[in-house]
Amino acid sequence: RIYKYQAHGYAFSSLEELLRSLGGDAFVNMTQRSVAESLLEVGVTQRFVDDVIAAVLRSSYGQSVLVPAFAGAMSLVGAQGSTWAVDGGNKLVCSGLLKLTKANIIPARVTGVSLHSSEGRPLYQVHYEGSEGQGSAFYDMVVVTTPLHPSRSNFTFENFEPPIADFPGAFQPSVTSVVHGYLNSSYFGFPDPKLFPFASILTTDTPDLFFNAMDNICPVNISAAFRRKQPQEAAVWRVLSQQPLDKQQLKTLFRSYYSVQVTEWQTYPRYDAAKSLPPIVLHENLFYLSGVEWVASSMEMIAVAAKNVALLAYNRWHQDLEKIDQKDLMHKVKTEL
């Protein structure tokens, strides 16, 4: 539905309105109650939740079945196998879009936004620091695309009344370890590595476990001559954990290894840390994009939110209020067709 709405230029001024247009109050409620509670209500067994749903959520969001139902549903969709990868890395989506838009990119870190006015209209001064020192520029519209939460926000808003504050909430730390080595299949109950049948290993929510998931990774583009490594051969494994793996833990998972590459990052919101959704409109022509992650976090969700902000900014600028927060949009779209 959202792609149809956006193709016709419709936009939403809040995440709640966007969700309501797609699935009514049920979708909004899915951001306020856990995925476990929602699944149990429709007849899914507690054992299935503990053994399967928990494992999927640990491998994707690194969290438990207490995450909100909407984010949980997004995570479960990704477990069905019909997902896509970008050859060369997901970052190419961003660089490709920037190239297509022919944007004027200023290579600098934004440190703050201050409010001014010009002929009765708000004017936003964006302050930044680059290799050549400090600078600033004035804009009619600004879209903030970095999380405005205490653990991530590192710039300020000035001259706004009421002031724009950080939103409550925190982000989930995650560690990705890419290991080239020989799997210790005995640890998983297979003394003979030739008999190990799995390419992915998920874990349940057990305190003693030191990793969330691991999988045998292969190239995005698989040639006709490509052959996945046999379990007794050295292969490249990705291990997801909440803390860096120490040498003893690596020895537990691998008989031996050639190399380990570790990346620590703040991956997703901690979904049990905040119950309210952030706003999209921070000021008249100042918009916030990253709040959609608190509904569910994925590249597709961010892309949908980005187009919504672009349409919302355009419609508000041109005072086309008929294109904002309209009810019964499916009927309106059919009428327009």
Side-chain angles (χ1 to χ4, degrees), residues 268-287:
Y268 303 107
R270 271 219 63 88
Y271 286 106
D272 58 358
K275 290 298 182 183
S276 60
L277 298 178
I280 293 175
V281 181
L282 300 178
H283 194 258
E284 187 173 333
N285 291 314
L286 176 64
F287 305 95

Side-chain angles (χ1 to χ4, degrees), residues 24-313:
D25 287 334
F27 272 21
V28 178
N29 293 338
M30 285 177 71
T31 68
Q32 306 298 317
R33 56 207 305 260
S34 74
V35 65
E37 182 184 356
S38 298
L39 290 174
L40 291 170
E41 274 190 9
V42 296
V44 176
T45 65
Q46 184 68 56
R47 183 175 180 184
F48 191 83
V49 170
D50 293 340
D51 289 354
V52 178
I53 306 300
V56 172
L57 286 166
R58 280 171 62 84
S59 68
S60 55
Y61 284 145
Q63 295 173 62
S64 74
V65 293
L66 296 179
V67 305
F70 200 98
M74 176 71 69
S75 176
L76 296 175
V77 167
Q80 297 184 50
S82 58
T83 53
W84 293 78
V86 179
D87 189 17
N90 290 343
K91 62 183 180 182
L92 295 182
V93 174
C94 303
S95 58
L97 286 170
L98 284 171
K99 186 176 180 180
L100 281 172
T101 59
K102 300 178 182 178
N104 175 33
I105 302 171
I106 300 173
R109 185 181 70 85
V110 175
T111 59
V113 179
S114 55
L115 175 63
H116 302 268
S117 62
S118 174
E119 298 177 358
R121 280 183 177 271
L123 202 58
Y124 304 100
Q125 186 177 13
V126 177
H127 305 270
Y128 54 85
E129 289 180 353
S131 58
E132 298 180 358
Q134 296 183 342
S136 69
F138 287 92
Y139 298 93
D140 295 308
M141 296 181 183
V142 172
V143 179
V144 178
T145 61
T146 190
L148 295 177
H149 294 78
S151 62
R152 295 293 302 275
S153 179
N154 56 3
F155 66 93
T156 58
F157 294 99
E158 298 178 359
N159 303 334
F160 289 90
E161 190 58 46
I164 298 172
D166 283 344
F167 300 114
F171 276 73
Q172 172 74 24
S174 181
V175 180
T176 301
S177 303
V178 178
V179 183
H180 181 206
Y182 296 88
L183 183 73
N184 180 16
S185 58
S186 295
Y187 175 67
F188 300 102
F190 292 84
D192 185 350
K194 293 181 181 179
L195 300 179
F196 188 80
F198 307 114
S200 297
I201 303 163
L202 308 184
T203 64
T204 55
D205 198 0
T206 305
D208 295 338
L209 287 172
F210 55 87
F211 71 101
N212 290 341
M214 57 187 296
D215 54 332
N216 183 337
I217 57 178
C218 54
V220 172
N221 275 344
I222 298 179
S223 64
F226 176 80
R227 180 181 66 86
R228 184 184 285 276
K229 297 289 186 181
Q230 296 299 305
Q232 71 273 19
E233 297 178 304
V236 179
W237 290 82
R238 178 184 60 176
V239 186
L240 304 176
S241 58
Q242 294 186 15
Q243 302 291 335
L245 302 178
D246 59 32
K247 286 189 177 181
Q248 185 56 49
Q249 291 168 336
L250 285 168
K251 285 182 178 179
T252 299
L253 297 177
F254 298 93
R255 289 184 285 126
S256 63
Y257 51 87
Y258 296 107
S259 65
V260 182
Q261 297 180 40
V262 180
T263 302
E264 297 184 51
W265 52 314
Q266 300 285 315
T267 48
Y268 303 107
R270 271 219 63 88
Y271 286 106
D272 58 358
K275 290 298 182 183
S276 60
L277 298 178
I280 293 175
V281 181
L282 300 178
H283 194 258
E284 187 173 333
N285 291 314
L286 176 64
F287 305 95
Y288 180 41
L289 175 59
S290 297
V292 74
E293 284 201 278
W294 295 85
V295 176
S297 185
S298 72
M299 289 184 65
E300 186 175 10
M301 288 293 286
I302 289 291
V304 165
K307 187 159 187 176
N308 179 67
V309 164
L311 290 169
L312 179 64

